[in-house]
């Protein structure tokens, strides 16, 4: 264990035009006091020794609950966006032809995330680099790093389970800091053998770690499961992996959702095509969070996401950027601004909660972060608000298209 620089800092007193605790309404002209790496007080008013941060808003650091940092070197999303199976082909090609070392790509993604105010990540990894880099020091976002497992044919089952077991062992060997956690990610129904899927969830359960699964991402996936036909069958056949016996007849999303409810925490990533039946199930399974990736959803041209309906029914909906293969950047801040723009009737407070507390809940970190609450980690983002003539309400100001994240604090230390 290293001694954090913040452990030896004096009390810091920060005053901003707006403070968004997320737990509770926004506070105008308010103060946040920090003691070392922790939040010590949050209140409306003044303090004679406060550092005045000017025309800004202090918010909890953002939680990007779903990304793949290994694609962070991409300058533009991969195409074509449709059909989806064609995009998967592009992803496979990019993985096999990229000459930039994984460490460099992931490091680039970590830095980009921090610049955008993200202080916590749900990262999907295909190697150990993410875990090692995020665990390196306390100037990195907190994270749960999910090891991705892939393999549709039965001959891959044992190998993939061993990869998962080795990964969880590596996490133990590395002596992870309190800010980094482990998880497993069976990729998706069309890329993971159903038995392997159940075994990986069992492994996660046995080890007490969360799981993240891409689920209900496309209509093609629904056709794949229910009809055993469509573009995913064509893709698997092309790769020499298709065998109709592998899928039981009449499989449903429920067959993938139900095992997740056995875990202490699970992320159903995307859920673009969750219908009434799945939403009814999720209402009874609070361990499962849905991760909506707004700009990625938009990129693929899916029909309207049911995120608002889910939230109104008590389901935890976190937000993710997904990777740069389907998004122009890794800014969760821009996801919030995108939602503000596309859903003008949704309150800013709710959008901000999705990008902070809901993500922390999904990653089982809400005791530590996600709100500006006394005792929680002092991971903050400072948002510069627009100058000049602006609406009077702070809520309208925060996600204004001209607002931007100007500084980020981790463990009580400004890192930029
Ligand atoms: Zn993804």
């Amino acid at each position: 264990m290293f001694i954090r620089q913040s452990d030896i800092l004096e009390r810091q007193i920060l005053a901003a035009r707006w403070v968004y605790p997320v737990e509770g309404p926004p506070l105008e002209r308010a103060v946040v006091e920090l003691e070392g790496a922790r939040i010590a007080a949050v209140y409306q008013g003044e303090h004679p020794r406060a550092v005045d941060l000017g025309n800004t808003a202090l918010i909890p650091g953002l939680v990007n609950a779903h990304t793949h940092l290994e694609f962070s070197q991409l300058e533009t999303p991969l195409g074509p966006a449709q059909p989806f199976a064609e995009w998967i082909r592009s992803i496979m090609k990019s993985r096999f032809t990229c000459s930039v070392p994984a460490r460099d790509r992931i490091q680039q993604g970590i830095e980009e995330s921090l610049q955008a105010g993200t202080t916590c990540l749900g990262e999907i990894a295909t190697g150990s680099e993410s875990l090692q880099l995020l665990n390196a020091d306390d100037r990195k976002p907190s994270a749960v790093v999910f090891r991705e497992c892939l393999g549709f044919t039965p001959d891959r089952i044992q190998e993939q389970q061993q990869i998962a077991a080795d990964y969880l062992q590596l996490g133990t060997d590395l002596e992870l800091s309190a800010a980094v956690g482990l998880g497993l990610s069976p990729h998706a129904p069309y890329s993971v053998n159903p038995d392997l899927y159940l075994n990986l969830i069992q492994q996660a359960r046995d080890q007490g770690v969360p799981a993240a699964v891409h689920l209900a991402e496309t209509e093609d996936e629904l056709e794949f499961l229910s009809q055993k036909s469509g573009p995913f069958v064509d893709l698997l056949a092309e790769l020499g992996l298709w065998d109709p016996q592998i899928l039981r007849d009449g499989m449903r999303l429920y067959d993938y959702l139900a095992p997740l409810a056995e875990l202490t925490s699970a992320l159903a990533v995307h859920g673009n095509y969750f219908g009434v039946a799945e939403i009814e199930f999720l209402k009874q399974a609070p361990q499962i969070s849905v991760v909506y990736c707004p700009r990625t959803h938009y990129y693929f041209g899916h029909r309207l996401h049911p995120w608002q309906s889910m939230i109104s029914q008590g389901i935890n909906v976190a937000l993710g950027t997904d990777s740069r293969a389907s998004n122009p950047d890794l800014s969760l801040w821009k996801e919030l601004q995108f939602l503000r723009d596309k859903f003008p009737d949704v309150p800013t407070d709710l959008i901000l909660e999705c990008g902070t507390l809901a993500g922390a809940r999904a990653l089982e970190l809400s005791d530590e972060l996600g709100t500006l609450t006394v005792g929680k980690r002092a991971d903050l983002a400072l948002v510069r608000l627009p100058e000049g003539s602006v609406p009077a309400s702070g809520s309208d100001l925060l996600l204004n298209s001209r607002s931007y994240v100007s500084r980020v604090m981790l463990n009580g230390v400004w890192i930029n």
Side-chain angles (χ1 to χ4, degrees):
M1 261 321 246
F2 34 70
I3 296 174
R4 295 180 188 280
Q5 186 189 346
S6 49
D7 289 341
I8 49 174
L9 285 179
E10 301 275 319
R11 197 172 184 94
Q12 297 185 71
I13 304 166
L14 309 172
R17 182 174 170 198
W18 286 92
V19 171
Y20 283 77
V22 175
E23 190 177 61
L27 307 171
E28 189 169 13
R29 306 270 170 219
V31 171
V32 176
E33 296 191 23
L34 312 174
E35 190 79 55
R38 299 277 156 182
I39 296 168
V42 181
Y43 54 90
Q44 194 160 30
E46 297 176 354
H47 190 290
R49 287 191 291 111
V51 175
D52 184 0
L53 297 169
N55 185 29
T56 60
L58 270 174
I59 62 172
L62 302 174
V63 181
N64 182 356
H66 181 69
T67 189
H68 307 246
L69 296 177
E70 67 169 302
F71 296 109
S72 302
Q73 88 291 358
L74 292 172
E75 291 182 7
T76 53
L78 297 176
Q82 286 163 337
F84 187 75
E86 197 59 40
W87 180 82
I88 292 283
R89 287 183 180 91
S90 299
I91 280 276
M92 290 163 61
K93 190 172 165 199
S94 168
R95 248 182 203 155
F96 292 126
T97 58
C98 180
S99 59
V100 182
R103 283 183 75 87
D104 295 351
R105 289 179 266 139
I106 293 163
Q107 182 60 32
Q108 199 174 329
I110 291 172
E111 286 165 18
E112 185 187 351
S113 299
L114 284 171
Q115 289 296 327
T118 298
T119 60
C120 182
L121 293 167
E123 152 73 341
I124 308 288
T126 51
S128 59
E129 295 88 350
S130 293
L131 198 57
Q132 287 164 341
L133 286 167
L134 287 161
N135 193 48
D137 57 67
D138 65 350
R139 291 173 68 88
K140 299 289 189 304
S142 324
V144 175
V145 183
F146 298 88
R147 180 58 162 92
E148 182 170 278
C149 295
L150 284 159
F152 191 70
T153 49
D155 59 309
R156 298 283 299 282
I157 293 177
Q158 209 171 4
E159 163 212 87
Q160 291 296 304
Q161 284 179 218
Q162 192 59 49
I163 285 172
D166 291 347
Y167 176 74
L168 297 176
Q169 183 58 46
L170 173 70
T172 310
D173 296 345
L174 279 177
E175 293 184 20
L176 297 177
S177 83
V180 180
L182 300 168
L184 294 179
S185 179
H187 176 257
Y190 57 84
S191 56
V192 176
N193 180 287
D195 291 333
L196 172 60
Y197 181 83
L198 293 177
N199 295 350
L200 289 168
I201 299 301
Q202 182 68 45
Q203 261 177 291
R205 187 175 140 182
D206 292 347
Q207 299 295 317
V209 301
V213 188
H214 297 86
L215 212 50
E217 185 170 7
T218 61
E219 287 179 302
D220 295 342
E221 181 186 321
L222 305 187
E223 180 186 353
F224 174 77
L225 288 177
S226 62
Q227 312 289 324
K228 298 192 194 185
S229 62
F232 285 122
V233 168
D234 297 343
L235 176 64
L236 287 167
E238 181 185 303
L239 297 168
L241 303 173
W242 175 241
D243 174 356
Q245 303 297 323
I246 291 174
L247 281 184
R248 287 198 321 274
D249 287 340
M251 284 190 81
R252 298 169 296 159
L253 290 170
Y254 173 82
D255 296 307
Y256 293 85
L257 269 180
L260 297 181
E262 304 288 314
L263 302 175
T264 56
S265 166
L267 282 66
V269 178
H270 300 305
N272 298 331
Y273 293 91
F274 279 153
V276 174
E278 290 77 36
I279 290 174
E280 279 303 311
F281 179 79
L282 288 167
K283 281 163 65 178
Q284 313 298 322
Q287 313 90 313
I288 306 174
S289 298
V290 174
V291 185
Y292 169 35
C293 300
R295 288 184 297 161
T296 287
H297 174 275
Y298 184 77
Y299 177 68
F300 288 115
H302 298 300
R303 68 168 192 242
L304 202 63
H305 193 286
W307 68 290
Q308 293 178 79
S309 161
M310 289 175 178
I311 292 171
S312 69
Q313 296 183 72
I315 295 164
N316 189 48
V317 178
L319 300 177
T321 58
D322 217 333
S323 78
R324 270 179 165 258
S326 56
N327 205 342
D329 56 62
L330 297 177
S331 171
L332 199 83
W333 176 250
K334 288 190 179 170
E335 302 294 340
L336 302 187
Q337 288 181 314
F338 177 86
L339 290 178
R340 163 77 302 132
D341 185 46
K342 297 288 177 197
F343 300 92
D345 296 336
V346 177
T348 290
D349 294 6
L350 180 61
I351 294 175
L352 183 62
E353 183 176 332
C354 289
T356 53
L357 179 58
R361 277 197 204 111
L363 298 171
E364 293 186 288
L365 290 168
S366 57
D367 289 345
E368 278 289 298
L369 47 93
T371 60
L372 302 184
T373 301
V374 172
K376 285 197 183 181
R377 206 179 291 162
D379 289 355
L380 314 174
L382 184 68
V383 178
R384 176 67 51 185
L385 300 173
E387 304 289 346
S389 119
V390 287
S393 154
S395 289
D396 294 327
L397 271 181
L398 184 71
L399 296 178
N400 185 287
S401 61
R402 290 183 291 135
S403 298
Y404 61 94
V405 173
S406 62
R407 298 187 78 186
V408 178
M409 175 182 278
L410 288 176
N411 298 299
V413 180
W414 293 113
I415 59 154
N416 59 4

